[in-house]
Amino acid sequence: MVSTNVHNPNDLSQPVVGRFAPSPSGRIHVGNLFSFMVAYIRAHQKGGSCVLRIEDLDPDRSKQCHIDQIFRDLDWFGFEWSGEAVYQSERTEAYQEAFDALDSMDLLYPCFCTRADLHAAQAPHPGEEFVYQGTCRHLSHDEQAEKARVRNPAYRICVTNDEIVIDDAFQGEHHYNLQGSSGDFIVRRCDKTFAYQLAVVVDDAYQQVNDVCRGIDLLSSAPRQRYLQELLGLPEVTYAHVPLFLDEEGRRLSKRNNDATLSYLIDSLGLTACQILGYIAYCSGMIDSWESVSLSELIQFASLDALTNTTSIVWKDPSSVK
Ligand code: GLU
């Protein structure tokens, strides 16, 4: 266990570095904006700053037009970040190095299971994480070579039974055991794309991020990321998982919730950037009433206390509120 690297949020000699890590598979939505706001407010209230990373790992889903729109939207809302944006599509060598380091610890193995095999083995209930049962962990070299003739393998990392504690700034202490919560997980996909879990820890360390603020849907990824940080000797980060916005039926916001898209708020309702920031700050309890506020005003006046132990917030069409 690497304990010397733990980031202590109360240690003011280490500046707080938060991050925005959008995936350019579409326009940012209210949930992304909310987590960017909180990341920004947290870092700046502690005298720190944020960095930007474009998570364009997945070549099939990432589009240049979405990257351009992300920059326009971040600018329009007034977000600033230190340094140049990092693009995951340009970081393959760094991921390969981390992959090789894990491989040299004899922790990786090829997995030939198809999606259909995995679903046949276990169909997770909605909201439940998939737990890999280790099917390919003990294949012999001959079996691996035989299977590799018909299928490119993904690579999984062996996990242990040790307890991993995530002491989340908003969601409190969560105890995990990776064997029970995810099983051996993928670090490189069968199309040779490095997996999100690996890329994110390599990049957070590279960008000197020490405060990871994002949606609570990623809380269950935190123990996998902590595990990789420990193995790779990377600094631990503080996690702060913000509640998810849900629609009035309690479902995650998605494309069917047009009233939560930026194009609806900006183009149809004609709201300004500060009105939208103020609305989200008001809905999440950071401010007491819906006012038009800038990011710098939020840094001065917003309280993030209301986010503690809250897992969801209902999104209401602002035109029904005003
Ligand atoms: N790129 C991910 C997203 O847009 C966020 C990943 C992270 O914050 O770790 O949902």
Side-chain angles (χ1 to χ4, degrees):
M1 292 263 176
V2 180
S3 55
T4 46
N5 279 331
V6 178
H7 170 243
N8 173 0
N10 298 321
D11 175 3
L12 296 177
S13 62
Q14 254 184 312
V16 175
V17 183
R19 37 83 142 181
F20 318 127
S23 300
S25 52
R27 191 169 185 181
I28 59 168
H29 51 70
V30 159
N32 302 123
L33 180 57
F34 176 49
S35 61
F36 297 170
M37 287 167 66
V38 180
Y40 198 74
I41 295 168
R42 265 177 74 78
H44 285 269
Q45 283 186 341
K46 295 181 194 146
S49 59
C50 287
V51 294
L52 172 62
R53 179 166 71 243
I54 303 292
E55 299 215 319
D56 55 353
L57 259 186
D58 189 335
D60 301 331
R61 301 187 63 209
S62 307
K63 302 260 176 319
Q64 185 59 44
C65 61
H66 299 315
I67 297 179
D68 297 341
Q69 188 64 50
I70 286 169
F71 279 98
R72 282 197 291 274
D73 286 334
L74 288 174
D75 276 343
W76 194 70
F77 284 105
F79 287 102
E80 288 175 355
W81 54 92
S82 337
E84 296 286 320
V86 165
Y87 290 78
Q88 289 192 322
S89 57
E90 295 170 3
R91 301 264 306 138
T92 310
E93 266 174 48
Y95 308 145
Q96 184 67 51
E97 248 174 61
F99 181 91
D100 292 344
L102 297 169
D103 199 26
S104 69
M105 296 174 212
D106 268 340
L107 289 172
L108 304 186
Y109 64 88
C111 170
F112 299 89
C113 295
T114 60
R115 220 170 256 271
D117 293 337
L118 299 174
H119 282 291
Q122 177 199 23
H125 297 292
E128 232 177 55
E129 286 284 324
F130 173 80
V131 181
Y132 184 65
Q133 301 297 325
T135 319
C136 291
R137 187 169 181 165
H138 301 294
L139 292 179
S140 66
H141 283 297
D142 287 349
E143 286 168 323
Q144 289 175 347
E146 179 69 31
K147 285 180 183 278
R149 267 195 265 164
V150 280
R151 195 174 154 77
N152 280 334
Y155 276 80
R156 291 184 182 269
I157 184 160
C158 299
V159 299
T160 66
N161 208 12
D162 294 343
E163 183 177 63
I164 297 184
V165 181
I166 301 294
D167 190 8
D168 191 88
F170 295 129
Q171 306 302 332
E173 220 177 83
H174 284 253
H175 295 243
Y176 297 90
N177 163 322
L178 288 178
Q179 274 179 6
S181 62
S182 66
D184 297 344
F185 59 92
I186 292 183
V187 290
R188 201 182 81 180
R189 301 187 333 193
C190 60
D191 64 1
K192 301 207 161 101
T193 305
F194 289 100
Y196 156 72
Q197 306 291 354
L198 179 72
V200 94
V201 299
V202 171
D203 289 339
D204 280 337
Y206 173 66
Q207 294 186 281
Q208 297 180 9
V209 168
N210 51 28
D211 198 82
V212 170
C213 177
R214 58 189 178 188
I216 197 174
D217 52 328
L218 290 168
L219 176 59
S220 60
S221 286
R224 277 171 274 181
Q225 295 173 6
R226 171 78 34 101
Y227 178 61
L228 292 175
Q229 283 156 359
E230 284 182 0
L231 290 171
L232 294 167
L234 302 175
E236 281 189 10
V237 298
T238 298
Y239 288 107
H241 287 89
V242 301
L244 276 195
F245 271 102
L246 303 179
D247 66 15
E248 298 195 65
E249 275 84 56
R251 294 174 302 190
R252 277 183 71 154
L253 294 180
S254 69
K255 290 207 177 76
R256 66 175 175 259
N257 304 104
N258 180 51
D259 64 351
T261 61
L262 288 189
S263 63
Y264 172 75
L265 301 174
I266 299 168
D267 305 327
S268 307
L269 297 188
L271 297 178
T272 64
C274 291
Q275 283 172 324
I276 297 173
L277 293 172
Y279 185 65
I280 294 178
Y282 165 62
C283 292
S284 56
M286 291 191 237
I287 56 177
D288 296 332
S289 55
W290 181 10
E291 295 162 48
S292 173
V293 283
S294 65
L295 283 170
S296 39
E297 286 166 327
L298 285 170
I299 292 166
Q300 286 179 58
F301 306 115
S303 158
L304 300 180
D305 293 348
L307 308 185
T308 304
N309 294 326
T310 307
T311 55
S312 64
I313 300 169
V314 176
W315 177 258
K316 293 198 180 75
D317 183 338
S319 69
S320 68
V321 175
K322 209 169 188 184

